[in-house]
């Protein structure tokens, strides 16, 4: 009887800490799709649909991310709340082939110059960023708008990236990329704002202990680290310090933390709303703070929302409404770790 009881307790523990995301993928003719890629965006958690079009993903904890379903020749599908309404039926639609309009105009910058700028603003210029290699750069297309001094980039195929510094291979589905300049330029020093959006799948290719140490170094002081500490109300000179108006301040004066299921709800005090200049435009932003990590690395964080959620890994729910300056702004794709990374 004791042996049976121990086995029961062990199985109960597994069920408590694991959750399965499952569903079935069909094409537009309602036929099951075999070999479609299914993954949680920004993580290492991925699988392929089986011969019946079914997929199963085992997840230890809820993550602030979307479920991505992708197959060559079909439109990619993203599900915003994959941990709710499980066992879905998903129908993929074939991509419509569209021919881009060919416009002949004088180009002041070479493809080589644009590609170098793309690498700098997409991968980053840190040690991790410079170590990365995009294996299919030929799939990237560029357009420079000389009226707005903006460089755009797109790719119809996922970018395949090697990151030997952190021991990952990455597939990045590029949805949007642009870089704005203060004048007609292709130089980093003239950049006023850059943005890239897309879905990311990490594949771990190196599990050596020395790589794990490097990942932990990159994690420390990152946005994940900052938001995890914020959600746990952990501050200090060896962690992060908050500054407002040039003076160190108490985070509790500005942030209220409450439990929302397995997530932490972060609310910003209602009496610090501003309206000011942000990246060349005049949107209303809610608050901005400076954060100092270990007295050396300073970052500015601008919140375009007054409420957001943080999971146990430190991922926030409103990445498109939180902008960074300073040290955190230098950390591009090359310094990104999987959203399910545990230091």
């Amino acid at each position: 009887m004791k042996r049976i009881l121990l086995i029961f307790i062990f199985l109960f523990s597994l069920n408590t800490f694991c959750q399965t995301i499952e569903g079935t993928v069909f094409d537009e003719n309602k036929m099951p799709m075999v070999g479609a890629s299914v993954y949680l965006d920004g993580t290492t958690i991925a699988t392929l649909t089986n011969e019946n079009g079914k997929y199963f993903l085992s997840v230890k904890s809820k993550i602030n991310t979307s479920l991505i379903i992708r197959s060559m020749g079909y439109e990619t599908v993203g599900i915003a709340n994959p941990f709710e309404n499980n066992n879905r039926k998903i129908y993929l639609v074939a991509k419509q082939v569209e021919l881009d309009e060919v416009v002949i105009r004088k180009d002041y910058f070479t493809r080589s110059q644009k590609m170098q700028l793309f690498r700098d603003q997409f991968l980053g210029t840190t040690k991790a960023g410079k170590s990365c290699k995009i294996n299919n750069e030929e799939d990237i297309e560029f357009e420079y708008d000389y009226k707005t001094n903006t460089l755009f980039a797109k790719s119809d195929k996922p970018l395949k990236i090697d990151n030997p510094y952190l021991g990952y291979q990455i597939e990045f589905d590029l949805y949007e990329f642009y870089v704005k300049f203060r004048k007609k330029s292709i130089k980093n020093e003239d950049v006023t704002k850059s943005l890239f959006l897309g879905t990311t799948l990490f594949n771990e290719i190196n599990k050596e202990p020395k790589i794990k140490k490097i990942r932990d170094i990159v994690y420390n002081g990152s946005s994940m680290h900052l938001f995890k500490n914020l959600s746990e109300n952990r501050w200090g000179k060896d962690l992060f310090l908050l500054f407002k108006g040039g003076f160190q301040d108490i985070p509790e004066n500005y942030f209220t933390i409450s439990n929302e299921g397995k997530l932490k709800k972060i609310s910003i005090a209602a009496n610090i709303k501003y309206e000011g200049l942000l990246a060349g435009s005049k949107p209303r932003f809610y608050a901005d703070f400076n954060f100092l990590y270990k007295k050396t690395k300073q970052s500015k964080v601008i919140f375009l929302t007054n409420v957001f959620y943080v999971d146990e890994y430190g991922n926030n729910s409103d990445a498109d409404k939180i902008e960074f300056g300073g040290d955190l702004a230098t950390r591009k794709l090359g310094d990104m770790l999987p959203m399910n990374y545990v230091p």
Side-chain angles (χ1 to χ4, degrees):
M1 290 296 293
K2 290 183 179 179
R3 186 177 182 183
I4 294 175
L5 179 61
L6 288 173
I7 293 174
F8 172 78
I9 292 173
F10 176 70
L11 291 176
F12 178 79
S13 177
L14 285 179
N15 290 333
T16 300
F17 292 101
C18 288
Q19 180 174 347
T20 299
I21 298 175
E22 59 184 291
T24 310
V25 181
F26 302 92
D27 62 17
E28 65 268 35
N29 297 316
K30 299 183 179 181
M31 298 296 294
M33 293 194 66
V34 182
S37 179
V38 182
Y39 59 93
L40 288 175
D41 181 26
T43 75
T44 56
I45 303 169
T47 189
L48 298 174
T49 53
N50 63 19
E51 65 276 7
N52 298 314
K54 293 185 177 295
Y55 63 85
F56 303 89
L57 289 172
S58 182
V59 186
K60 291 183 179 180
S61 301
K62 186 174 181 179
I63 307 172
N64 268 333
T65 191
S66 300
L67 183 72
I68 306 299
I69 300 92
R70 189 180 70 201
S71 185
M72 189 66 69
Y74 291 84
E75 297 288 348
T76 299
V77 171
I79 298 174
N81 298 302
F83 295 90
E84 301 175 7
N85 301 322
N86 210 352
N87 200 11
R88 301 169 184 263
K89 292 183 178 180
I90 300 161
Y91 297 88
L92 300 187
V93 178
K95 284 185 177 179
Q96 300 297 318
V97 179
E98 297 181 0
L99 296 177
D100 292 334
E101 181 182 358
V102 177
V103 178
I104 300 176
R105 61 166 67 94
K106 183 178 180 180
D107 202 338
Y108 293 88
F109 308 114
T110 67
R111 177 176 174 82
S112 177
Q113 289 175 306
K114 295 172 184 175
M115 184 61 71
Q116 186 57 57
L117 190 282
F118 179 84
R119 295 189 196 107
D120 292 345
Q121 295 296 323
F122 178 62
L123 300 174
T125 57
T126 62
K127 191 171 183 178
K130 289 181 177 180
S131 77
C132 291
K133 179 184 177 182
I134 304 173
N135 295 312
N136 57 331
E137 287 186 345
E138 67 277 5
D139 292 325
I140 303 173
E141 299 178 25
F142 296 106
E143 180 181 351
Y144 197 108
D145 185 340
Y146 292 99
K147 293 182 179 179
T148 61
N149 297 324
T150 306
L151 176 69
F152 297 92
K154 66 177 183 178
S155 176
D156 292 333
K157 298 178 181 178
L159 301 181
K160 299 184 182 298
I161 303 156
D162 291 332
N163 187 344
Y165 186 72
L166 295 179
Y168 294 111
Q169 285 181 336
I170 303 169
E171 289 188 20
F172 191 90
D173 219 344
L174 186 65
Y175 292 168
E176 184 178 6
F177 175 93
Y178 68 80
V179 181
K180 293 181 179 292
F181 303 86
R182 63 173 53 90
K183 61 182 180 179
K184 185 170 65 178
S185 173
I186 199 72
K187 297 180 180 180
N188 285 306
E189 54 263 36
D190 293 320
V191 172
T192 59
K193 183 178 182 180
S194 67
L195 172 77
F196 64 86
L197 299 174
T199 62
T200 316
L201 173 61
F202 289 85
N203 178 30
E204 187 176 27
I205 58 173
N206 192 332
K207 298 182 180 181
E208 295 180 14
K210 65 178 182 180
I211 293 294
K212 178 62 169 65
K213 290 181 180 179
I214 293 173
R215 291 173 184 168
D216 287 349
I217 291 172
V218 170
Y219 172 86
N220 290 328
S222 67
S223 61
M224 286 176 66
H225 191 197
L226 170 63
F227 286 120
K228 181 173 178 59
N229 283 19
L230 192 160
S231 68
E232 296 174 352
N233 197 27
R234 297 177 66 240
W235 306 90
K237 62 181 181 179
D238 293 326
L239 295 170
F240 290 92
L241 296 173
L242 179 145
F243 288 78
K244 188 65 183 165
F247 297 94
Q248 185 179 339
D249 211 329
I250 302 173
E252 289 92 329
N253 289 341
Y254 305 102
F255 298 101
T256 301
I257 304 166
S258 58
N259 293 319
E260 194 88 7
K262 292 185 177 181
L263 301 176
K264 295 288 188 178
K265 180 181 178 181
I266 314 294
S267 302
I268 303 177
N271 63 342
I272 54 172
K273 195 168 187 177
Y274 297 91
E275 184 168 350
L277 189 64
L278 179 63
S281 58
K282 294 182 179 180
R284 183 181 297 272
F285 66 92
Y286 201 82
D288 67 321
F289 304 94
N290 289 315
F291 294 95
L292 188 65
Y293 178 68
K294 285 194 171 182
K295 297 183 177 180
T296 57
K297 297 179 179 179
Q298 183 174 337
S299 299
K300 188 180 189 69
V301 183
I302 300 172
F303 295 90
L304 305 179
T305 177
N306 64 330
V307 176
F308 58 97
Y309 298 84
V310 177
D311 64 26
E312 67 176 82
Y313 297 101
N315 304 297
N316 72 79
S317 60
D318 292 76
D320 59 330
K321 296 177 183 177
I322 300 176
E323 299 187 356
F324 301 102
D327 177 68
L328 288 176
T330 68
R331 301 181 181 221
K332 307 290 186 179
L333 187 77
D335 286 276
M336 283 178 59
L337 292 163
M339 294 178 70
N340 57 322
Y341 183 76
V342 178

